[in-house]
Amino acid sequence: MATLIACPACNASVSNAAPTCPKCGHPFVQSGFTHGLNPRHTGQVVTIEKTGKGLKLAGVLGALVLIVSVVMVIVGLQEGSKDFPAIWIVLGVLSLIWLLIVRVLTWWKHG
């Protein structure tokens, strides 16, 4: 029968049958090895996703500007107004360039 134990990393209540803490991901050692992982695992938590929040935020903002500019271009073309501001087309192109730069920076930083 499983009992609740305190996670040594975040003090959350976790089942003693759980291989990791669901809140912080801290691995629990069971029977001399980390459950479900390599038996030679040292107990250190390995971060797989290293992309920083800044690059993720830049990508989300670039995508949001791209979506808004595409919608505005479509609305402007459907209305057929002659004084349609070309700024939405320029913003769309700039956001595509921005997304490309963010992807290259992510690749460059993390190989």
Side-chain angles (χ1 to χ4, degrees), residues 49-63 98-111:
E49 181 67 38
K50 293 183 179 180
T51 304
K53 290 181 182 178
L55 287 175
K56 289 179 184 176
L57 180 63
V60 169
L61 290 176
W98 179 253
L99 287 173
L100 181 63
I101 290 171
V102 168
R103 295 295 292 185
V104 168
L105 286 175
T106 303
W107 169 80
W108 186 264
K109 188 173 181 182
H110 304 298

Side-chain angles (χ1 to χ4, degrees), residues 34-88:
T34 304
H35 179 71
L37 298 175
N38 186 343
R40 294 183 299 250
H41 185 65
T42 62
Q44 289 182 319
V45 177
V46 178
T47 304
I48 296 172
E49 181 67 38
K50 293 183 179 180
T51 304
K53 290 181 182 178
L55 287 175
K56 289 179 184 176
L57 180 63
V60 169
L61 290 176
L64 184 63
V65 170
L66 178 64
I67 291 169
V68 169
S69 62
V70 167
V71 168
M72 292 306 292
V73 167
I74 291 172
V75 167
L77 291 176
Q78 286 179 349
E79 289 179 357
S81 65
K82 294 181 180 182
D83 58 343
F84 176 73
I87 188 71
W88 296 114

Side-chain angles (χ1 to χ4, degrees), residues 23-43:
K23 184 176 179 185
C24 69
H26 182 76
F28 297 118
V29 177
Q30 298 175 353
S31 303
F33 66 93
T34 304
H35 179 71
L37 298 175
N38 186 343
R40 294 183 299 250
H41 185 65
T42 62

